[in-house]
Amino acid sequence: MNILVLGSGGREHAFSWKISQSTQCDKLYIAPGNAGTALVGENVNIGVNDFDAIREFVKSNNINLVVVGPEDPLVNGIYDFFKSDEVLSGIGLVGPSQAGARLEGSKDFSKQFMDKYDVPTAKSKTFTKDNLEEGLNYVSSHPLPVVLKADGLAAGKGVIIAETYEDARSTLKEMLVDAKFGEASSRVVIEQFLEGIELSVFVLTDGEHYKILPEAKDYKRIGEHDKGLNTGGMGAVSPVVFAKGDFLNKVEERVVKPTVAGLKSEGIDYKGFIFIGLMNVNGDPYVIEYNVRMGDPETQVVLPRIDSDLVDLLKATANGTLNQVEFSVSEESATTVVMVSGGYPESYEKGHQINGIDSVSEATVFHAGTKAGENGEVLTSGGRVLAITGRGDSVANALENSYNGIAKISWKDEYHRRDIGQDILKLLDK
Ligand code: AMP
Ligand code: GLY
């Protein structure tokens, strides 16, 4: 079959890498892709939100399955666009409908959904410009720290944890009145701060059945020891030591089952990934957020741990037959460390030549922000440039492979965190 992956990051390189290993995949296309995806498939110069161009491409290239990487096209309704087209409606698309994508596209919607279906989450209240005064009073009597979240998509920047009442009040005003995050902050969710260790659980559902994929922990801040600005993610580790037995059972019973059942009872068409951001609060899971796609860079550690053919899982998701598929997860650990352009997540330079990728044999190099130069060289073209995934029989060994790979790669002003996974190693030591 012919498969089209939409997106251009490390996540999409990991998807294409895994899909290209399937004997069921004839032609693999990535739109728009990067220099890494071009190694395992064919890049197509179409943007992820250009639905008309995607329709033409899918029709003229006999695409049988479309895998949507990022949230944007999902929130913009690509699933519904396919289903309402005579020809496209028969083609499998992995990703939820626009109604389902609201789980990520609107924090207010996702909080209401969790309340309705008894999914454990932080207590919260939503405010708009119209009840600003009420909102200011609400934060002023809220225990500190207090969490303020822009309702809509804000490129991972829309969450502010205020340590003082002054900060909380001014942030609320900036979001609602000064449109700090544009339309995304025209509604603000104010919620209780949860104290615990974070992890993410990934679920594939066809709307009826579900499979729980390997969990992961990511590292969002730019600086070591989780200091500095938020980024898209600087590294990830799987498995997460406490995500087993009792805890994982609680996640399945209290979070996964009511979420899938809730989507069904709302009549929401959902055939895709659910990325559940969780806080482990003294052994109990609380949902921090839902995303309606896989994580980046979490995909770069989750997919390498799936031993089975990913295409079987993706096909069954689109067809509604996930209950008929078995899949196996490797006992191995996987870690990924993201190499970024100096300056990221603020301004950074592009176009630097990357050296040493071909000499890495101990790890898998996933490309994120790269493009091919005129003479076949690989150039930086984004903030997050590469994700180096190591595998091993322990987290420590996987990390060693990631970092040994990194040591062979260089470009001007390259930066990466040196402490990915160190917190997990400490937990393992206990
Ligand atoms: P989000 O964009 O929802 O993933 O939030 C970004 C980050 O803010 C999360 O990864 C958490 O580290 C933190 N965060 C969000 N909500 C809470 C909360 N209620 N309590 C503590 N930390 C939170
Ligand atoms: N790494 C976090 C995300 O993909 O949202």
Side-chain angles (χ1 to χ4, degrees):
M1 62 194 295
N2 298 331
I3 302 176
L4 171 66
V5 173
L6 295 181
S8 61
R11 166 182 51 210
E12 287 76 19
H13 187 187
F15 267 118
S16 326
W17 167 85
K18 184 72 182 159
I19 289 170
S20 71
Q21 294 165 15
S22 169
T23 52
Q24 299 177 70
C25 179
D26 296 316
K27 284 288 279 177
L28 172 63
Y29 299 96
I30 308 93
N34 59 37
T37 59
L39 302 172
V40 290
E42 189 178 325
N43 287 350
V44 186
N45 191 16
I46 297 176
V48 296
N49 288 305
D50 189 349
F51 294 179
D52 288 330
I54 292 169
R55 174 177 54 205
E56 290 319 305
F57 183 83
V58 165
K59 283 184 186 167
S60 49
N61 291 278
N62 297 318
I63 300 295
N64 309 102
L65 184 69
V66 179
V67 182
V68 185
E71 63 277 16
D72 264 24
L74 296 167
V75 172
N76 292 338
I78 192 164
Y79 179 89
D80 312 75
F81 179 85
F82 267 64
K83 293 304 146 193
S84 63
D85 183 279
E86 218 174 305
V87 178
L88 298 189
S89 62
I91 292 167
L93 182 136
V94 178
S97 63
Q98 192 164 28
R102 290 176 70 207
L103 277 187
E104 177 166 359
S106 166
K107 301 238 188 245
D108 181 41
F109 172 80
S110 79
K111 294 301 287 195
Q112 287 184 33
F113 178 89
M114 287 186 260
D115 284 344
K116 185 165 173 186
Y117 294 101
D118 281 331
V119 177
T121 186
K123 282 201 184 56
S124 75
K125 239 179 135 121
T126 299
F127 296 92
T128 66
K129 208 155 99 177
D130 297 333
N131 56 1
L132 174 68
E133 281 308 315
E134 208 185 310
L136 290 170
N137 289 334
Y138 184 79
V139 285
S140 302
S141 58
H142 196 286
L144 290 174
V146 56
V147 184
L148 290 90
K149 298 186 170 183
D151 176 53
L153 294 183
K157 301 198 176 93
V159 175
I160 288 171
I161 297 172
E163 306 277 352
T164 66
Y165 288 120
E166 199 186 335
D167 187 21
R169 280 191 294 265
S170 62
T171 303
L172 184 64
K173 270 195 236 160
E174 280 169 31
M175 286 170 123
L176 289 176
V177 184
D178 307 334
K180 185 178 167 82
F181 301 107
E183 179 58 26
S185 66
S186 61
R187 270 168 201 276
V188 174
V189 175
I190 298 179
E191 78 175 27
Q192 178 197 11
F193 179 81
L194 297 172
E195 189 91 52
I197 313 176
E198 270 182 84
L199 84 159
S200 301
V201 169
F202 303 92
V203 174
L204 244 185
T205 182
D206 58 14
E208 187 81 36
H209 322 97
Y210 64 83
K211 298 281 182 205
I212 299 180
L213 307 178
E215 74 287 349
K217 180 175 192 304
D218 88 339
Y219 296 80
K220 287 211 168 87
R221 303 293 192 94
I222 187 72
E224 286 166 10
H225 312 296
D226 295 322
K227 298 274 184 321
L229 294 173
N230 254 324
T231 70
M234 296 295 291
V237 174
S238 179
V240 180
V241 47
F242 56 82
K244 49 189 174 202
D246 194 31
F247 182 79
L248 218 48
N249 286 339
K250 288 180 188 170
V251 172
E252 180 162 9
E253 293 304 320
R254 298 179 192 174
V255 179
V256 177
K257 283 187 181 169
T259 299
V260 174
L263 288 167
K264 190 178 167 193
S265 88
E266 292 290 306
I268 290 175
D269 201 356
Y270 203 115
K271 296 184 172 64
F273 293 95
I274 314 176
F275 163 161
I276 307 172
L278 292 169
M279 193 71 88
N280 174 350
V281 184
N282 299 323
D284 289 318
Y286 286 80
V287 175
I288 293 181
E289 62 167 349
Y290 290 113
N291 294 307
V292 298
R293 52 171 173 87
M294 279 300 289
D296 188 347
E298 292 90 333
T299 307
Q300 292 90 304
V301 294
V302 170
L303 296 187
R305 291 195 60 220
I306 296 180
D307 281 336
S308 320
D309 185 342
L310 184 66
V311 173
D312 281 333
L313 283 166
L314 298 171
K315 262 189 345 193
T317 300
N319 295 338
T321 53
L322 258 185
N323 57 324
Q324 295 169 24
V325 184
E326 294 297 330
F327 81 109
S328 61
V329 171
S330 163
E331 293 285 316
E332 272 192 337
S333 298
T335 59
T336 201
V337 179
V338 179
M339 302 176 79
V340 306
S341 299
Y344 172 81
E346 296 187 282
S347 63
Y348 54 83
E349 291 174 6
K350 291 184 189 176
H352 294 307
Q353 184 168 332
I354 305 172
N355 302 306
I357 293 180
D358 288 342
S359 52
V360 177
S361 54
E362 58 278 83
T364 306
V365 178
F366 291 116
H367 293 229
T370 66
K371 67 172 189 197
E374 277 171 17
N375 303 311
E377 73 277 31
V378 180
L379 305 175
T380 67
S381 75
R384 293 193 291 172
V385 176
L386 300 172
I388 315 302
T389 297
R391 281 184 269 181
D393 57 9
S394 66
V395 171
N397 288 343
L399 282 170
E400 194 178 329
N401 286 329
S402 284
Y403 281 106
N404 284 342
I406 282 191
K408 295 179 175 166
I409 301 175
S410 62
W411 69 84
K412 185 174 176 278
D413 299 334
E414 182 276 332
Y415 169 79
H416 60 269
R417 277 179 62 166
R418 291 165 301 176
D419 67 337
I420 301 302
Q422 291 304 315
D423 52 345
I424 299 283
L425 294 184
K426 278 198 194 114
L427 285 175
L428 284 164
D429 270 351
K430 274 187 189 164

PDB file of all heavy atoms in Angstrom, residues 76-100:
ATOM      1  N   ASN A  76      -7.733  21.919  12.357  1.00  0.00           N
ATOM      2  CA  ASN A  76      -8.360  22.571  11.201  1.00  0.00           C
ATOM      3  C   ASN A  76      -9.335  21.667  10.450  1.00  0.00           C
ATOM      4  O   ASN A  76      -9.931  22.079   9.458  1.00  0.00           O
ATOM      5  CB  ASN A  76      -7.288  23.067  10.218  1.00  0.00           C
ATOM      6  CG  ASN A  76      -6.482  24.206  10.800  1.00  0.00           C
ATOM      7  OD1 ASN A  76      -6.940  24.895  11.715  1.00  0.00           O
ATOM      8  ND2 ASN A  76      -5.275  24.406  10.299  1.00  0.00           N
ATOM      9  N   GLY A  77      -9.464  20.415  10.877  1.00  0.00           N
ATOM     10  CA  GLY A  77     -10.515  19.560  10.313  1.00  0.00           C
ATOM     11  C   GLY A  77     -10.125  18.696   9.129  1.00  0.00           C
ATOM     12  O   GLY A  77     -10.970  18.383   8.288  1.00  0.00           O
ATOM     13  N   ILE A  78      -8.870  18.229   9.066  1.00  0.00           N
ATOM     14  CA  ILE A  78      -8.491  17.419   7.900  1.00  0.00           C
ATOM     15  C   ILE A  78      -9.265  16.102   7.821  1.00  0.00           C
ATOM     16  O   ILE A  78      -9.603  15.621   6.729  1.00  0.00           O
ATOM     17  CB  ILE A  78      -6.957  17.177   7.850  1.00  0.00           C
ATOM     18  CG1 ILE A  78      -6.560  16.606   6.484  1.00  0.00           C
ATOM     19  CG2 ILE A  78      -6.480  16.272   8.988  1.00  0.00           C
ATOM     20  CD1 ILE A  78      -5.095  16.675   6.163  1.00  0.00           C
ATOM     21  N   TYR A  79      -9.589  15.544   8.991  1.00  0.00           N
ATOM     22  CA  TYR A  79     -10.337  14.279   9.001  1.00  0.00           C
ATOM     23  C   TYR A  79     -11.707  14.485   8.352  1.00  0.00           C
ATOM     24  O   TYR A  79     -12.134  13.714   7.489  1.00  0.00           O
ATOM     25  CB  TYR A  79     -10.496  13.774  10.441  1.00  0.00           C
ATOM     26  CG  TYR A  79     -11.270  12.489  10.552  1.00  0.00           C
ATOM     27  CD1 TYR A  79     -10.625  11.259  10.479  1.00  0.00           C
ATOM     28  CD2 TYR A  79     -12.657  12.500  10.720  1.00  0.00           C
ATOM     29  CE1 TYR A  79     -11.338  10.072  10.573  1.00  0.00           C
ATOM     30  CE2 TYR A  79     -13.379  11.330  10.813  1.00  0.00           C
ATOM     31  CZ  TYR A  79     -12.714  10.111  10.742  1.00  0.00           C
ATOM     32  OH  TYR A  79     -13.428   8.947  10.834  1.00  0.00           O
ATOM     33  N   ASP A  80     -12.390  15.552   8.756  1.00  0.00           N
ATOM     34  CA  ASP A  80     -13.724  15.848   8.238  1.00  0.00           C
ATOM     35  C   ASP A  80     -13.662  16.182   6.739  1.00  0.00           C
ATOM     36  O   ASP A  80     -14.557  15.825   5.980  1.00  0.00           O
ATOM     37  CB  ASP A  80     -14.323  17.018   9.029  1.00  0.00           C
ATOM     38  CG  ASP A  80     -14.174  16.801  10.522  1.00  0.00           C
ATOM     39  OD1 ASP A  80     -13.045  16.955  11.041  1.00  0.00           O
ATOM     40  OD2 ASP A  80     -15.152  16.422  11.172  1.00  0.00           O
ATOM     41  N   PHE A  81     -12.575  16.860   6.342  1.00  0.00           N
ATOM     42  CA  PHE A  81     -12.359  17.187   4.926  1.00  0.00           C
ATOM     43  C   PHE A  81     -12.296  15.896   4.107  1.00  0.00           C
ATOM     44  O   PHE A  81     -12.916  15.778   3.054  1.00  0.00           O
ATOM     45  CB  PHE A  81     -11.058  17.991   4.804  1.00  0.00           C
ATOM     46  CG  PHE A  81     -10.682  18.389   3.413  1.00  0.00           C
ATOM     47  CD1 PHE A  81     -11.207  19.539   2.837  1.00  0.00           C
ATOM     48  CD2 PHE A  81      -9.783  17.625   2.664  1.00  0.00           C
ATOM     49  CE1 PHE A  81     -10.853  19.929   1.550  1.00  0.00           C
ATOM     50  CE2 PHE A  81      -9.422  17.992   1.384  1.00  0.00           C
ATOM     51  CZ  PHE A  81      -9.955  19.151   0.817  1.00  0.00           C
ATOM     52  N   PHE A  82     -11.572  14.915   4.610  1.00  0.00           N
ATOM     53  CA  PHE A  82     -11.476  13.626   3.918  1.00  0.00           C
ATOM     54  C   PHE A  82     -12.841  12.931   3.877  1.00  0.00           C
ATOM     55  O   PHE A  82     -13.256  12.420   2.851  1.00  0.00           O
ATOM     56  CB  PHE A  82     -10.433  12.715   4.592  1.00  0.00           C
ATOM     57  CG  PHE A  82      -9.063  12.826   4.000  1.00  0.00           C
ATOM     58  CD1 PHE A  82      -8.348  14.012   4.064  1.00  0.00           C
ATOM     59  CD2 PHE A  82      -8.473  11.733   3.359  1.00  0.00           C
ATOM     60  CE1 PHE A  82      -7.081  14.123   3.511  1.00  0.00           C
ATOM     61  CE2 PHE A  82      -7.202  11.827   2.789  1.00  0.00           C
ATOM     62  CZ  PHE A  82      -6.507  13.021   2.866  1.00  0.00           C
ATOM     63  N   LYS A  83     -13.507  12.909   5.023  1.00  0.00           N
ATOM     64  CA  LYS A  83     -14.762  12.137   5.100  1.00  0.00           C
ATOM     65  C   LYS A  83     -15.874  12.754   4.246  1.00  0.00           C
ATOM     66  O   LYS A  83     -16.817  12.067   3.855  1.00  0.00           O
ATOM     67  CB  LYS A  83     -15.226  11.995   6.555  1.00  0.00           C
ATOM     68  CG  LYS A  83     -14.288  11.140   7.413  1.00  0.00           C
ATOM     69  CD  LYS A  83     -14.053   9.733   6.847  1.00  0.00           C
ATOM     70  CE  LYS A  83     -12.631   9.261   7.142  1.00  0.00           C
ATOM     71  NZ  LYS A  83     -12.188   8.083   6.414  1.00  0.00           N
ATOM     72  N   SER A  84     -15.767  14.058   3.969  1.00  0.00           N
ATOM     73  CA  SER A  84     -16.848  14.691   3.199  1.00  0.00           C
ATOM     74  C   SER A  84     -16.566  14.666   1.691  1.00  0.00           C
ATOM     75  O   SER A  84     -17.355  15.152   0.899  1.00  0.00           O
ATOM     76  CB  SER A  84     -17.052  16.135   3.666  1.00  0.00           C
ATOM     77  OG  SER A  84     -15.877  16.869   3.404  1.00  0.00           O
ATOM     78  N   ASP A  85     -15.444  14.082   1.295  1.00  0.00           N
ATOM     79  CA  ASP A  85     -15.088  14.013  -0.128  1.00  0.00           C
ATOM     80  C   ASP A  85     -15.394  12.613  -0.671  1.00  0.00           C
ATOM     81  O   ASP A  85     -15.017  11.618  -0.043  1.00  0.00           O
ATOM     82  CB  ASP A  85     -13.593  14.322  -0.285  1.00  0.00           C
ATOM     83  CG  ASP A  85     -13.153  14.345  -1.730  1.00  0.00           C
ATOM     84  OD1 ASP A  85     -12.908  13.249  -2.303  1.00  0.00           O
ATOM     85  OD2 ASP A  85     -13.040  15.451  -2.284  1.00  0.00           O
ATOM     86  N   GLU A  86     -16.050  12.590  -1.804  1.00  0.00           N
ATOM     87  CA  GLU A  86     -16.492  11.311  -2.361  1.00  0.00           C
ATOM     88  C   GLU A  86     -15.359  10.287  -2.499  1.00  0.00           C
ATOM     89  O   GLU A  86     -15.507   9.133  -2.097  1.00  0.00           O
ATOM     90  CB  GLU A  86     -17.090  11.572  -3.739  1.00  0.00           C
ATOM     91  CG  GLU A  86     -18.295  10.714  -4.049  1.00  0.00           C
ATOM     92  CD  GLU A  86     -18.886  11.154  -5.375  1.00  0.00           C
ATOM     93  OE1 GLU A  86     -19.208  12.362  -5.522  1.00  0.00           O
ATOM     94  OE2 GLU A  86     -18.968  10.303  -6.256  1.00  0.00           O
ATOM     95  N   VAL A  87     -14.230  10.726  -3.042  1.00  0.00           N
ATOM     96  CA  VAL A  87     -13.124   9.782  -3.267  1.00  0.00           C
ATOM     97  C   VAL A  87     -12.327   9.555  -1.981  1.00  0.00           C
ATOM     98  O   VAL A  87     -12.008   8.423  -1.613  1.00  0.00           O
ATOM     99  CB  VAL A  87     -12.180  10.318  -4.379  1.00  0.00           C
ATOM    100  CG1 VAL A  87     -11.004   9.375  -4.575  1.00  0.00           C
ATOM    101  CG2 VAL A  87     -12.953  10.514  -5.661  1.00  0.00           C
ATOM    102  N   LEU A  88     -12.039  10.651  -1.273  1.00  0.00           N
ATOM    103  CA  LEU A  88     -11.166  10.531  -0.101  1.00  0.00           C
ATOM    104  C   LEU A  88     -11.812   9.790   1.064  1.00  0.00           C
ATOM    105  O   LEU A  88     -11.119   9.254   1.929  1.00  0.00           O
ATOM    106  CB  LEU A  88     -10.744  11.925   0.391  1.00  0.00           C
ATOM    107  CG  LEU A  88      -9.931  12.802  -0.555  1.00  0.00           C
ATOM    108  CD1 LEU A  88      -9.427  14.039   0.182  1.00  0.00           C
ATOM    109  CD2 LEU A  88      -8.749  12.051  -1.139  1.00  0.00           C
ATOM    110  N   SER A  89     -13.148   9.775   1.095  1.00  0.00           N
ATOM    111  CA  SER A  89     -13.818   9.212   2.276  1.00  0.00           C
ATOM    112  C   SER A  89     -13.471   7.738   2.482  1.00  0.00           C
ATOM    113  O   SER A  89     -13.537   7.242   3.607  1.00  0.00           O
ATOM    114  CB  SER A  89     -15.329   9.399   2.196  1.00  0.00           C
ATOM    115  OG  SER A  89     -15.809   8.714   1.072  1.00  0.00           O
ATOM    116  N   GLY A  90     -13.071   7.049   1.432  1.00  0.00           N
ATOM    117  CA  GLY A  90     -12.725   5.639   1.573  1.00  0.00           C
ATOM    118  C   GLY A  90     -11.276   5.413   1.980  1.00  0.00           C
ATOM    119  O   GLY A  90     -10.848   4.274   2.180  1.00  0.00           O
ATOM    120  N   ILE A  91     -10.514   6.468   2.092  1.00  0.00           N
ATOM    121  CA  ILE A  91      -9.091   6.323   2.395  1.00  0.00           C
ATOM    122  C   ILE A  91      -8.859   6.456   3.901  1.00  0.00           C
ATOM    123  O   ILE A  91      -9.415   7.346   4.545  1.00  0.00           O
ATOM    124  CB  ILE A  91      -8.287   7.395   1.619  1.00  0.00           C
ATOM    125  CG1 ILE A  91      -8.373   7.078   0.128  1.00  0.00           C
ATOM    126  CG2 ILE A  91      -6.832   7.458   2.080  1.00  0.00           C
ATOM    127  CD1 ILE A  91      -7.914   8.185  -0.760  1.00  0.00           C
ATOM    128  N   GLY A  92      -8.064   5.564   4.454  1.00  0.00           N
ATOM    129  CA  GLY A  92      -7.814   5.601   5.893  1.00  0.00           C
ATOM    130  C   GLY A  92      -7.018   6.829   6.288  1.00  0.00           C
ATOM    131  O   GLY A  92      -6.053   7.202   5.613  1.00  0.00           O
ATOM    132  N   LEU A  93      -7.446   7.497   7.355  1.00  0.00           N
ATOM    133  CA  LEU A  93      -6.680   8.638   7.858  1.00  0.00           C
ATOM    134  C   LEU A  93      -6.543   8.463   9.367  1.00  0.00           C
ATOM    135  O   LEU A  93      -7.544   8.297  10.073  1.00  0.00           O
ATOM    136  CB  LEU A  93      -7.380   9.961   7.517  1.00  0.00           C
ATOM    137  CG  LEU A  93      -6.608  11.224   7.963  1.00  0.00           C
ATOM    138  CD1 LEU A  93      -6.611  12.288   6.865  1.00  0.00           C
ATOM    139  CD2 LEU A  93      -7.196  11.810   9.236  1.00  0.00           C
ATOM    140  N   VAL A  94      -5.312   8.455   9.842  1.00  0.00           N
ATOM    141  CA  VAL A  94      -5.079   8.302  11.285  1.00  0.00           C
ATOM    142  C   VAL A  94      -5.004   9.684  11.902  1.00  0.00           C
ATOM    143  O   VAL A  94      -4.065  10.445  11.657  1.00  0.00           O
ATOM    144  CB  VAL A  94      -3.789   7.497  11.555  1.00  0.00           C
ATOM    145  CG1 VAL A  94      -3.539   7.377  13.053  1.00  0.00           C
ATOM    146  CG2 VAL A  94      -3.896   6.122  10.917  1.00  0.00           C
ATOM    147  N   GLY A  95      -6.009  10.006  12.698  1.00  0.00           N
ATOM    148  CA  GLY A  95      -6.135  11.325  13.315  1.00  0.00           C
ATOM    149  C   GLY A  95      -7.605  11.548  13.586  1.00  0.00           C
ATOM    150  O   GLY A  95      -8.445  11.059  12.830  1.00  0.00           O
ATOM    151  N   PRO A  96      -7.931  12.263  14.665  1.00  0.00           N
ATOM    152  CA  PRO A  96      -9.335  12.450  15.033  1.00  0.00           C
ATOM    153  C   PRO A  96     -10.050  13.473  14.161  1.00  0.00           C
ATOM    154  O   PRO A  96      -9.412  14.264  13.459  1.00  0.00           O
ATOM    155  CB  PRO A  96      -9.241  12.971  16.467  1.00  0.00           C
ATOM    156  CG  PRO A  96      -7.941  13.702  16.502  1.00  0.00           C
ATOM    157  CD  PRO A  96      -7.015  12.911  15.618  1.00  0.00           C
ATOM    158  N   SER A  97     -11.373  13.464  14.269  1.00  0.00           N
ATOM    159  CA  SER A  97     -12.192  14.508  13.637  1.00  0.00           C
ATOM    160  C   SER A  97     -11.933  15.842  14.329  1.00  0.00           C
ATOM    161  O   SER A  97     -11.333  15.894  15.410  1.00  0.00           O
ATOM    162  CB  SER A  97     -13.668  14.142  13.788  1.00  0.00           C
ATOM    163  OG  SER A  97     -13.999  14.115  15.170  1.00  0.00           O
ATOM    164  N   GLN A  98     -12.433  16.904  13.714  1.00  0.00           N
ATOM    165  CA  GLN A  98     -12.252  18.241  14.286  1.00  0.00           C
ATOM    166  C   GLN A  98     -12.863  18.313  15.697  1.00  0.00           C
ATOM    167  O   GLN A  98     -12.293  18.936  16.595  1.00  0.00           O
ATOM    168  CB  GLN A  98     -12.926  19.272  13.369  1.00  0.00           C
ATOM    169  CG  GLN A  98     -12.551  20.692  13.707  1.00  0.00           C
ATOM    170  CD  GLN A  98     -12.889  21.655  12.571  1.00  0.00           C
ATOM    171  OE1 GLN A  98     -13.823  21.412  11.793  1.00  0.00           O
ATOM    172  NE2 GLN A  98     -12.140  22.724  12.472  1.00  0.00           N
ATOM    173  N   ALA A  99     -13.987  17.636  15.870  1.00  0.00           N
ATOM    174  CA  ALA A  99     -14.619  17.644  17.199  1.00  0.00           C
ATOM    175  C   ALA A  99     -13.700  16.981  18.221  1.00  0.00           C
ATOM    176  O   ALA A  99     -13.562  17.454  19.352  1.00  0.00           O
ATOM    177  CB  ALA A  99     -15.965  16.930  17.138  1.00  0.00           C
ATOM    178  N   GLY A 100     -13.051  15.886  17.817  1.00  0.00           N
ATOM    179  CA  GLY A 100     -12.132  15.190  18.724  1.00  0.00           C
ATOM    180  C   GLY A 100     -10.884  15.995  18.993  1.00  0.00           C
ATOM    181  O   GLY A 100     -10.346  15.981  20.107  1.00  0.00           O
TER     182      GLY A 100
END
